[in-house]
Amino acid sequence: MGTFVLVHGAWHGPWAWERVETSLRAAGARTITPDLSGRGDDGLHGHAQAVIAALDGAAENDIVLVGHSYAGLVVREAADARPGLVGHIVLVDGWAGADGASLFSLAPESFVAAVRAAAETRGDGHRIPAPPPAAFGIVDPDTAALLAQRLIPHPLRAFTEPTRLTGAVDRIPGTAVYCRPQTYPFDRFGEDLGYRTVALDGPHDVMLTDPERLAGTLLRAHPFKNRKREI
């Protein structure tokens, strides 16, 4: 079933994909989960470099590159740098846009103001404290307790840096999975890029609440599987 590079979003870590990885591996897939959380005050470009290193280390092409939330921007910049290695991009409730887009340029002013205020008043001015689990749609007490223990501050710089794209990423097919009910217009972000959109009922952190269904959606996006359907 090939290789899936799964990139976590802001405040999270590779652990966010553990439940999805179990389902993907059971289907015979290989998974790689780059860690963006341990890179200090790196911005978007530094995070993209970590994903590029993971793509290079996979030593194959036709990789399915998956980005959750903030990492939608990250995976597109990484894929733009390594278009020959990526067969499909999947955004999971992912922020994404054209060259020069940043999370703050895509987000509503109320979100930007709240994040900046949190960094100034509850952070050190450079890092954004993690929101509560409910902000990610997690209400189950056990899952919420686990999430609260693992969430960490995220660099403000990562939300302000604009993506640097040459246009190579736009030749890679993509799928935008958006969770319902929607919190932000993730379906529109995908549509604006020409991606196929797929609705999934669940919270923003759907990988924690419904990993098997999300894994099935990712497996259907794999280019090898699509080729078999076409034959």
Side-chain angles (χ1 to χ4, degrees):
M1 287 305 299
T3 296
F4 292 78
V5 174
L6 310 168
V7 187
H8 64 84
W11 301 293
H12 292 60
W15 50 263
W17 294 108
E18 289 173 354
R19 298 175 183 179
V20 173
E21 285 187 279
T22 298
S23 295
L24 291 177
R25 290 173 180 169
R30 177 188 178 202
T31 62
I32 300 172
T33 52
D35 188 0
L36 310 186
S37 63
R39 298 182 63 88
D41 287 331
D42 269 3
L44 188 149
H45 305 314
H47 291 158
Q49 286 300 317
V51 177
I52 290 168
L55 294 174
D56 290 342
E60 63 178 275
N61 54 21
D62 279 326
I63 293 168
V64 177
L65 181 55
V66 183
H68 174 239
S69 195
Y70 153 73
L73 292 158
V74 176
V75 300
R76 278 180 48 81
E77 181 162 313
D80 191 78
R82 295 292 188 273
L85 301 181
V86 180
H88 202 92
I89 295 170
V90 181
L91 310 177
V92 179
D93 252 10
W95 300 89
D99 178 46
S102 67
L103 194 145
F104 274 2
S105 75
L106 296 169
E109 283 298 323
S110 57
F111 176 94
V112 175
V115 167
R116 287 192 181 279
E120 290 295 333
T121 61
R122 296 190 291 111
D124 57 4
H126 301 287
R127 296 178 70 78
I128 313 157
F136 304 101
I138 302 300
V139 294
D140 170 71
D142 292 337
T143 305
L146 178 65
L147 191 59
Q149 292 172 4
R150 289 183 158 183
L151 293 172
I152 63 171
H154 187 73
L156 180 65
R157 176 182 168 193
F159 284 3
T160 62
E161 279 190 351
T163 51
R164 296 192 294 233
L165 306 176
T166 67
V169 67
D170 296 323
R171 296 191 288 273
I172 302 171
T175 299
V177 178
Y178 64 96
C179 298
R180 299 185 302 194
Q182 289 202 79
T183 51
Y184 298 102
F186 296 115
D187 58 339
R188 180 172 57 78
F189 296 151
E191 289 170 355
D192 289 348
L193 296 170
Y195 289 0
R196 180 174 66 101
T197 58
V198 177
L200 204 61
D201 292 332
H204 186 60
D205 271 9
V206 69
M207 72 282 296
L208 300 179
T209 61
D210 203 347
E212 291 185 3
R213 192 148 57 100
L214 178 56
T217 301
L218 299 181
L219 288 166
R220 286 189 290 274
H222 197 285
F224 288 139
K225 188 174 183 66
N226 292 339
R227 286 175 194 163
K228 290 176 183 177
R229 285 178 176 175
E230 292 169 1
I231 294 173

